[in-house]
Amino acid sequence: VISGVGERIERGPSSTMGWVMHDGIPVLRRNINARGNVETWFARLPGEADWRLMRRNRLRDAPEFAYVGQTQNPETVRVLIRADSDNHLTVRDINLRDFSVSAPINHREGVDAIDGIYDSRGKYIGVAYYGERLEYEFEDPALSAHHRALNQFFENDCDVKLVDISADGNRMIGRVSGPREPGTWIFYDRAARNILPLGSATSLSFEKLGEGQRIIVDTRDGAKIEAYLTAPLSGKAGPLVVLPHG
């Protein structure tokens, strides 16, 4: 930073799109093929010279694998993975020596995990899920109570995403979004129980926006899927706009 002189630590082929480091040492390498539809993960233990094929995924298929963060063990990393026996994505630790995976961490039965979250010092905090809204399974139960309080402050109508958490867990930066909230950044002081707005993406007139509600749709094959319906304030019949996603 002072001299501006760089030192090359590692160099991959032209298909290399990213690295994962542990204490400054590359332990994972992510390659994407020329067509952009397949990603390949290579791994090696600290001190090893050769990269080993760990996993290959088709990017256009359902999500199967993503890096989440470090663990205290240099031979394991925390990942989001659909293991062979799983129907849902879970957060697990994968061993870089033999690629074995641990039991699910902060697991919620029958729901896909979205991501794992860490505090400002890189300590693991918990796992994010989608239920009626964005929810978390925390390592510290006290954090669950504070996240519920934030949801209640926003009338249980918004997703409160925790973007950054201080090492002592007392200060948080979050992003709030919902059917009538385009995106507001907040600072939450846990000890003082104070919420400070930091800024909004767009200023909207809430009185002109329809209210959204969560509904359950029965599909032709007998499954049930969640959907969100926003109706116009006029109450009049009109066209139905559908946004499929997954």
Side-chain angles (χ1 to χ4, degrees):
V1 175
I2 297 175
S3 66
V5 177
E7 177 184 355
R8 178 179 293 167
I9 298 175
E10 189 83 20
R11 181 176 182 176
S14 59
S15 58
T16 298
M17 296 296 155
W19 305 86
V20 171
M21 315 284 283
H22 188 97
D23 293 334
I25 300 174
V27 293
L28 291 181
R29 192 183 85 213
R30 179 176 181 252
N31 289 9
I32 297 181
N33 67 341
R35 297 180 63 184
N37 60 355
V38 176
E39 69 171 2
T40 305
W41 288 87
F42 297 89
R44 70 182 184 191
L45 292 167
E48 289 185 338
D50 297 329
W51 291 97
R52 291 172 288 122
L53 173 64
M54 182 176 72
R55 193 176 182 92
R56 181 172 285 122
N57 308 304
R58 293 186 62 85
L59 293 175
R60 296 178 183 177
D61 294 340
E64 298 287 342
F65 182 88
Y67 173 74
V68 170
Q70 294 185 4
T71 70
Q72 295 182 347
N73 182 355
E75 293 192 1
T76 63
V77 292
R78 194 149 292 173
V79 298
L80 187 68
I81 188 172
R82 195 185 307 273
D84 293 338
S85 59
D86 290 343
N87 291 324
H88 295 89
L89 287 169
T90 55
V91 172
R92 299 170 181 253
D93 291 343
I94 185 167
N95 189 296
L96 299 180
R97 185 176 297 277
D98 58 11
F99 304 148
S100 59
V101 296
S102 71
I105 302 169
N106 296 117
H107 181 48
R108 184 176 291 191
E109 190 67 35
V111 183
D112 279 334
I114 299 172
D115 199 3
I117 60 171
Y118 287 72
D119 66 15
S120 59
R121 291 188 179 178
K123 178 183 176 183
Y124 171 76
I125 298 296
V127 180
Y129 295 91
Y130 257 111
E132 293 189 10
R133 63 188 65 84
L134 182 62
E135 302 168 358
Y136 294 94
E137 292 289 343
F138 292 103
E139 289 277 276
D140 180 2
L143 284 175
S144 298
H146 284 276
H147 190 255
R148 285 195 300 269
L150 286 171
N151 277 321
Q152 291 169 4
F153 180 84
F154 293 100
E155 301 179 351
N156 292 318
D157 191 42
C158 294
D159 290 337
V160 182
K161 180 179 181 180
L162 301 180
V163 179
D164 198 8
I165 303 175
S166 64
D168 60 7
N170 283 328
R171 293 170 300 280
M172 309 174 192
I173 293 177
R175 186 179 186 275
V176 183
S177 60
R180 298 193 298 162
E181 173 54 68
T184 296
W185 292 87
I186 62 169
F187 173 81
Y188 176 55
D189 189 318
R190 177 178 169 183
R193 298 181 182 271
N194 181 45
I195 299 174
L196 176 66
L198 299 177
S200 298
T202 306
S203 180
L204 295 179
S205 299
F206 290 168
E207 65 274 7
K208 296 182 180 180
L209 301 178
E211 293 189 10
Q213 60 176 312
R214 174 176 172 266
I215 61 175
I216 302 297
V217 179
D218 294 323
T219 63
R220 288 182 297 178
D221 59 0
K224 295 181 182 295
I225 59 174
E226 294 180 353
Y228 293 88
L229 176 65
T230 302
L233 290 178
S234 65
K236 297 180 180 179
L240 177 64
V241 180
V242 180
L243 175 63
H245 64 90

